[in-house]
Amino acid sequence: MPELPEVETTVRGLRPVLEGQVLTRVEPRRDNLRRAFPADLRQRLTGARITGLRRRAKYGVIDTDRDDSLIFHLGMSGRWRVDPTELLPHDHLVLATEAGRVLALNDPRRFGSVDLLPTAEVMDFPAFRLLGPEPLGEAFTPEHLRHALAGRRLSIKLALLDQRIVAGLGNIYVCEALYDARIDPRTPAGMLDAAALARLVPAVQLVLEAAIDAGGSSLRDYARPDGELGYFSKQFAVYGRAGGPCACGGTVERYAEGGRSTFWCPRCQRS
């Protein structure tokens, strides 16, 4: 599933194509993805000017001068294709601009979603209401984690995947951040001391920033809007590397928890 760096990369790739442009064509090519397209999507967006693009957690938000905002989620396999030479069977939503640019939302598995809300109500979108702070924002601090994790017995790995604690983190980047912070992913979240939390926050941020710089991680279906693959997967220290060597001289191991694989090095992740 595309995680925060992939969505951030997507938003940055769409910005020069869409920002400031008037939409001349809005064409849903089927009735639904994970849920139905808004019935008035074409009517409300055709002729609207795009005033900005942003990201919240794993969602992209496209604002317009009609005080409407399109909210998209890429699901498991979604991506925006820019100026395709032809439309493909899984191009489910097509946008065209006055400059002649074309965008196609491609989603073979149809686990993504498209919603349209008044801009003033975006933060009341059901998926946004209980989200924690953005991990790259100023509100994500060791002190925030200390309060959010107090008394929690679940592992720090699962705690960081809880979107109410921090928004947008997924399995790949949590594994990598815990490795960088030298924290045992099995540690009960409420037992992390101040020193561990002080290491964890910058580790999360550095991993995310490096992944964004690399264009995300291309696992199976993900690609950037320009069609290029993300290359952060080439920098993985532990994710997907069970049985491989760790830089410390140990061996990367894998275990399953909460329906997800966790990759870690027992030799250097001891906190």
Side-chain angles (χ1 to χ4, degrees), residues 82-131:
V82 178
D83 297 329
T85 55
E86 61 177 343
L87 293 181
L88 302 177
H90 296 299
D91 289 336
H92 302 310
L93 175 64
V94 176
L95 305 178
T97 73
E98 61 182 344
R101 308 298 296 274
V102 175
L103 289 164
L105 180 57
N106 185 279
D107 189 354
R109 302 185 192 180
R110 302 203 309 272
F111 288 159
S113 61
V114 170
D115 294 276
L116 187 63
L117 273 71
T119 302
E121 299 176 14
V122 164
M123 289 302 110
D124 290 325
F125 182 53
F128 292 176
R129 286 176 188 163
L130 299 178
L131 287 177

Side-chain angles (χ1 to χ4, degrees), residues 1 6 38-39 44 61-63 101-102 139 174 183 207 248:
M1 177 180 291
E6 289 75 44
R44 286 167 66 180
V61 181
I62 302 174
D63 298 320
R101 308 298 296 274
V102 175
V174 168
I183 293 173
V207 164
C248 75

Side-chain angles (χ1 to χ4, degrees), residues 129-218:
R129 286 176 188 163
L130 299 178
L131 287 177
E134 289 286 330
L136 295 176
E138 294 181 357
F140 182 59
T141 63
E143 185 67 9
H144 162 73
L145 282 182
R146 186 177 71 81
H147 285 290
L149 301 177
R152 303 292 294 270
R153 291 188 166 189
L154 81 167
S155 71
I156 184 58
K157 163 68 186 305
L158 292 184
L160 291 176
L161 293 175
D162 185 338
Q163 301 296 290
R164 296 168 296 181
I165 292 174
V166 55
L169 291 186
N171 197 44
I172 294 172
Y173 301 107
V174 168
C175 288
E176 291 293 305
L178 288 171
Y179 171 79
D180 281 3
R182 298 299 188 259
I183 293 173
D184 185 332
R186 304 168 302 175
T187 304
M191 292 184 62
L192 287 181
D193 60 21
L197 295 177
R199 296 195 308 272
L200 180 56
V201 167
V204 167
Q205 294 170 336
L206 287 172
V207 164
L208 292 177
E209 288 166 355
I212 291 168
D213 288 344
S217 302
S218 293

Side-chain angles (χ1 to χ4, degrees), residues 215-236:
S217 302
S218 293
L219 300 177
R220 298 183 183 175
D221 304 300
Y222 171 72
R224 300 183 306 199
D226 61 6
E228 290 294 317
L229 301 179
Y231 292 102
F232 186 69
S233 57
K234 297 183 182 299
Q235 302 176 37
F236 287 165

